[in-house]
């Protein structure tokens, strides 16, 4: 027995050591970590940077905090999350502008006051500043133009922003606890949550929930620390802005627009008015190509004619004079990025319009590149002020969005212009390209549907072609010749081309091989026009435009007149 005692003692000691080790391991595994996260690292900020919590997400963009505690966000953040690109920044002139229905709010970057039309408004903070190439704008200045809620916090710097509210699920913390970086007791602590605090529940899992605290921390808390959830939809604390809710009034005709473009290539072209309109039916608007950019200071060449206007009015036609940008080699960026050149161009256009009693302007600037896009859109905004004051219809021509050039910003055009016109043609065009339809039905319908994402139907006019192209392919070289409806039909007949109806394009198509050359034609005719108008009728658009008068066959006017209800 005495010999067994030491053995028993040893066994007991071993059990104790194992038990202690196991207990320590269990304690280590299941005890709550007290390690705290580096919050600047968590938010990804340094120095005077501030994190942005947009809705329920920490976004990559960073804000800045001024010496006076003012929070600033970048122009890119403003464009992406607040007011699209309506807040116009001109890097060349170091200015910011916002166009109202009847005046312009303007600001010279670096100053503490801005101009509201002719009135100066002083702010108790610096409105905007550059840090390198990045423009920062005071949050309170942005709030003048759009509705949103925000709250700022320090240590670390962060700003919670709500640009919209949806249904929120919240819960009350029932016992003091911590919000952790991830779900798990060993995860680092982001912040403490006291009993009675309310948190927003973003995602509820089996034992942990992803939550957001009211001061912008997004992390995880154990479900056993949360009470029952409640659901509600918050409303804006700040539900007004000084400029953002102003009404943009537009001219809207109580009939469908039936507008024919009339190509006038010089003063003598005005004499073709009677010929161009002779076989039309239901036409209520004519758009002569009268104004062309010249030079880089906003000057124009004008072919406007008082006799033409008088004759049109005598026929019951409104005149929406067209201004284009492709008759002379001009520097479009130089023109539209200059506030002085834009103002001069607007003065010149409005002077012609008012002098001749013209009813509207049709802006057809087709060669605007991406660099110039935002400056062109600002021109449309500024021009709209003068048109609105004088009761002049403002319309803007655009190719379908599928053709690119998104920098034309149809959304803004849909706000400031009275009508937006889709040039629903040139699907295939020019030389050196691929032979194909000028305006297949899928191309037309997609152009309409895409644009309706940005422009309301009551403002949208679809342009149809009175022309097609005869395509000639020799070897690898393809070229298309633009011809009118009758000329295309005559070409097919003269060359013995048997055409067939293509359901995919909704056009008659024909081809013929002559020696080493393939000739192809997709006809625009009565049948193709009818299908286009039927699609437009389905979308209940504001009307139709035709390029160009003189290229059509007479029979299509019955279809167009019927579409317009005349």
């Amino acid at each position: 027995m005495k010999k067994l005692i030491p053995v028993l003692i040893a066994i007991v000691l071993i059990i104790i050591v194992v038990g202690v080790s196991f207990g320590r391991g269990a304690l280590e595994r299941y005890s709550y970590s007290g390690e705290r996260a580096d919050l600047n690292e968590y938010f990804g900020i340094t120095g005077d940077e501030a994190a942005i919590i947009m809705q329920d997400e920490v976004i990559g963009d960073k804000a800045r905090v001024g010496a006076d505690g003012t929070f600033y966000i970048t122009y890119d953040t403003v464009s992406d999350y607040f007011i699209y690109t309506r807040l116009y920044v001109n890097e060349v002139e170091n200015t910011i502008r916002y166009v109202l229905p009847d005046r312009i709010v303007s600001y010279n970057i670096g100053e503490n006051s801005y101009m509201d039309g002719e009135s100066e408004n002083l702010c108790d903070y610096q409105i905007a500043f550059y840090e390198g190439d990045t423009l920062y704008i005071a949050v309170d200045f942005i709030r003048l133009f759009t509705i949103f809620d925000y709250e700022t916090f320090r240590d670390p710097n962060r700003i919670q922003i709500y640009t919209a509210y949806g249904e929120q699920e919240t819960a009350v913390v029932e016992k003091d606890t911590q919000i952790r970086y991830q779900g798990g007791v060993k995860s680092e602590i982001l912040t403490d949550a006291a009993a009675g605090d309310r948190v927003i529940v973003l995602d509820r899992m089996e034992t942990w929930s992803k939550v957001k605290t009211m001061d912008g921390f997004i992390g995880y808390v154990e479900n056993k620390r949360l009470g029952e959830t409640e659901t509600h939809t918050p409303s804006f604390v700040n539900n007004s802005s000084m400029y953002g809710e102003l009404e943009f009034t537009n001219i809207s005709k109580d009939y469908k627009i039936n507008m024919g473009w009339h190509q006038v290539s010089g003063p003598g072209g005005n004499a073709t008015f009677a010929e161009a309109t002779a076989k039309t039916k239901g036409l209520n608007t004519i758009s002569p190509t009268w104004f062309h950019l010249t030079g880089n200071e906003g000057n124009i060449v004008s072919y406007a004619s008082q006799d033409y206007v008088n004759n049109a009015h005598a026929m019951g036609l409104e005149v929406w004079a067209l201004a284009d940008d492709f008759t002379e080699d001009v520097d479009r960026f130089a023109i539209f990025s200059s506030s002085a050149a834009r103002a001069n161009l607007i003065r010149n256009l409005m002077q012609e319009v008012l002098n001749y009693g013209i009813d509207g302007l049709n802006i057809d600037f087709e060669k605007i590149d991406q660099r110039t896009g935002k400056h062109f859109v600002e021109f449309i905004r500024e021009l709209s002020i003068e048109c609105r004051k004088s009761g002049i219809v403002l319309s803007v021509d655009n190719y379908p969005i599928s053709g690119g050039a998104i920098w034309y910003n149809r959304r803004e055009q849909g706000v400031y212009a009275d009508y937006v016109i889709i040039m629903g043609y040139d699907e295939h065009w020019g030389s050196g390209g691929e032979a194909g339809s000028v305006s297949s039905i899928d191309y037309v319908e997609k152009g309409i549907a895409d644009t309706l994402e940005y422009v309301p139907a009551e403002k949208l006019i679809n342009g149809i072609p009175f022309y097609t192209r005869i395509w000639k392919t020799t070897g690898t070289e393809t070229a298309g010749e633009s011809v009118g409806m009758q000329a295309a039909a005559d070409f097919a007949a003269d060359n013995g081309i048997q055409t067939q109806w293509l359901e995919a394009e909704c056009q008659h198509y024909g081809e013929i091989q002559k020696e080493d050359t393939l000739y192809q034609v997709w006809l625009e005719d009565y049948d193709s026009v009818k299908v286009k108008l039927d699609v437009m009728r389905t979308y209940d658009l504001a009307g139709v435009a035709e390029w160009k008068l003189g290229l059509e066959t007479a029979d299509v006017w019955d279809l167009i007149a019927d579409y317009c209800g005349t």
Side-chain angles (χ1 to χ4, degrees):
M1 183 66 181
K2 289 181 179 181
K3 291 182 178 180
L4 290 175
I5 291 175
V7 175
L8 292 173
I9 292 173
I11 292 173
V12 169
L13 289 174
I14 290 171
I15 292 172
I16 291 172
V17 169
V18 171
V20 169
S21 298
F22 179 80
R24 284 177 178 173
L27 184 63
E28 174 101 14
R29 181 178 179 183
Y30 296 106
S31 64
Y32 289 77
S33 170
E35 185 178 357
R36 291 186 172 270
D38 182 324
L39 295 182
N40 286 325
E41 182 178 327
Y42 164 73
F43 282 115
I45 57 175
T46 60
D48 64 354
E49 288 182 333
I52 301 174
I53 304 99
M54 188 69 67
Q55 308 297 116
D56 297 324
E57 179 184 2
V58 179
I59 64 174
D61 297 1
K62 299 294 185 288
R64 284 284 187 275
V65 183
D68 61 352
T70 299
F71 275 65
Y72 297 84
I73 55 180
T74 70
Y75 173 61
D76 287 343
T77 305
V78 174
S79 297
D80 290 343
Y81 292 96
F82 291 90
I83 46 180
Y84 306 103
T85 52
R86 186 167 300 169
L87 201 69
Y88 165 72
V89 175
N90 189 316
E91 296 85 357
V92 177
E93 298 181 340
N94 208 38
T95 57
I96 296 176
R97 286 189 169 199
Y98 188 95
V99 176
L100 303 174
D102 59 350
R103 64 194 190 279
I104 299 172
V105 175
S106 59
Y107 165 67
N108 295 321
I109 296 172
E111 297 182 356
N112 283 4
S113 64
Y114 67 91
M115 299 299 296
D116 178 351
E118 300 298 321
S119 302
E120 183 177 9
N121 290 319
L122 183 66
C123 296
D124 58 3
Y125 53 84
Q126 184 176 352
I127 294 173
F129 64 88
Y130 274 101
E131 186 175 280
D133 294 331
T134 303
L135 177 63
Y136 287 90
I137 307 173
V139 175
D140 283 333
F141 186 70
I142 301 301
R143 208 175 195 181
L144 296 175
F145 303 98
T146 187
I147 294 173
F148 63 95
D149 280 341
Y150 81 90
E151 190 172 1
T152 62
F153 308 94
R154 308 299 289 270
D155 301 322
N157 297 328
R158 58 200 187 280
I159 178 171
Q160 168 71 66
I161 298 174
Y162 286 102
T163 59
Y165 284 111
E167 193 173 76
Q168 282 186 353
E169 186 178 345
T170 65
V172 172
V173 175
E174 294 188 326
K175 184 178 181 180
D176 291 355
T177 189
Q178 293 83 33
I179 308 298
R180 295 182 179 271
Y181 177 62
Q182 293 179 328
V185 298
K186 295 304 180 184
S187 182
E188 295 174 314
I189 298 169
L190 295 177
T191 188
D192 296 308
D197 288 350
R198 184 170 290 276
V199 294
I200 299 170
V201 180
L202 303 178
D203 186 16
R204 184 176 285 274
M205 293 160 283
E206 186 175 350
T207 56
W208 292 79
S209 287
K210 184 179 182 180
V211 300
K212 186 178 74 173
T213 65
M214 295 305 171
D215 57 353
F217 289 97
I218 299 174
Y220 293 82
V221 66
E222 289 179 289
N223 289 338
K224 65 184 181 180
R225 305 298 187 194
L226 298 177
E228 293 296 320
T229 58
E230 297 180 5
T231 300
H232 73 292
T233 302
S235 57
F236 283 107
V237 175
N238 173 56
N239 58 6
S240 64
S241 59
M242 185 177 295
Y243 301 115
E245 296 303 300
L246 300 181
E247 181 181 359
F248 286 84
T249 57
N250 297 111
I251 296 173
S252 180
K253 303 296 182 180
D254 60 0
Y255 52 83
K256 282 195 182 297
I257 302 298
N258 180 2
M259 184 184 83
W261 280 294
H262 180 203
Q263 188 170 24
V264 177
S265 301
N270 290 312
T272 64
F273 170 80
E275 179 184 355
T277 58
K279 56 189 175 185
T280 63
K281 292 183 181 179
L283 195 71
N284 50 46
T285 309
I286 192 165
S287 180
T289 59
W290 273 349
F291 307 137
H292 318 287
L293 297 179
T294 181
N296 298 326
E297 291 76 39
N299 295 319
I300 61 172
V301 173
S302 172
Y303 304 143
S305 160
Q306 192 63 65
D307 286 343
Y308 187 108
V309 173
N310 293 343
N311 290 334
H313 287 171
M315 285 184 61
L317 303 180
E318 287 201 349
V319 179
W320 295 3
L322 181 145
D324 70 44
D325 68 336
F326 43 83
T327 56
E328 186 176 329
D329 185 17
V330 297
D331 187 336
R332 292 160 187 79
F333 180 81
I335 295 170
F336 294 108
S337 67
S338 165
S339 58
R342 289 196 309 271
N344 187 43
L345 177 55
I346 291 169
R347 279 193 300 271
N348 288 328
L349 290 172
M350 294 305 298
Q351 180 176 318
E352 293 293 294
V353 165
L354 297 176
N355 283 349
Y356 288 94
I358 295 169
D359 308 286
L361 278 168
N362 179 232
I363 304 301
D364 187 35
F365 294 153
E366 299 181 22
K367 297 187 177 182
I368 302 298
D369 59 19
Q370 186 169 4
R371 179 182 178 221
T372 309
K374 72 173 186 177
H375 306 293
F376 165 73
V377 174
E378 182 67 7
F379 161 73
I380 295 298
R381 296 185 186 110
E382 294 171 4
L383 175 60
S384 76
I385 295 175
E386 301 308 316
C387 288
R388 195 173 290 110
K389 287 178 181 177
S390 300
I392 302 302
V393 178
L394 175 60
S395 62
V396 187
D397 301 337
N398 298 268
Y399 278 113
I401 296 173
S402 58
I406 60 173
W407 49 87
Y408 275 81
N409 202 334
R410 280 80 167 175
R411 186 192 303 276
E412 287 296 275
Q413 290 185 34
V415 172
Y416 287 88
D418 298 302
Y419 292 99
V420 175
I421 301 177
I422 304 171
M423 296 181 289
Y425 37 79
D426 277 354
E427 179 181 1
H428 296 85
W429 60 280
S431 60
E434 179 185 358
S437 168
V438 164
S439 181
S440 70
I441 197 61
D442 285 349
Y443 180 77
V444 171
E445 185 162 14
K446 180 172 173 53
I448 293 170
D450 287 349
T451 308
L452 283 172
E453 294 290 324
Y454 306 99
V455 180
E458 62 269 19
K459 281 190 169 190
L460 191 60
I461 297 170
N462 187 62
I464 62 174
F466 279 170
Y467 71 96
T468 189
R469 288 189 169 88
I470 298 172
W471 296 94
K472 182 172 73 171
T473 301
T474 304
T476 59
E477 298 295 321
T478 299
E481 177 191 0
S482 180
V483 298
M485 288 181 172
Q486 190 60 54
D490 290 344
F491 173 82
D494 293 344
N495 287 276
I497 297 175
Q498 297 296 316
T499 62
Q500 58 179 327
W501 181 256
L502 301 180
E503 286 296 338
E505 287 81 3
C506 287
Q507 288 175 299
H508 289 104
Y509 168 78
E511 65 178 52
I512 191 169
Q513 183 80 32
K514 289 189 173 183
E515 297 180 353
D516 61 346
T517 299
L518 173 66
Y519 295 89
Q520 297 170 280
V521 61
W522 285 259
L523 294 176
E524 290 295 343
D525 55 19
Y526 181 96
D527 293 325
S528 68
V529 169
K530 182 179 186 303
V531 177
K532 290 177 176 62
L533 294 172
D534 286 343
V535 168
M536 293 160 58
R537 187 178 285 110
T538 298
Y539 286 96
D540 195 21
L541 302 186
V544 60
E546 305 93 20
W547 179 266
K548 63 181 178 172
L549 295 178
L551 293 182
E552 75 279 16
T553 52
D555 56 353
V556 300
W557 284 111
D558 289 321
L559 292 171
I560 295 170
D562 178 67
Y563 166 76
C564 293
T566 58

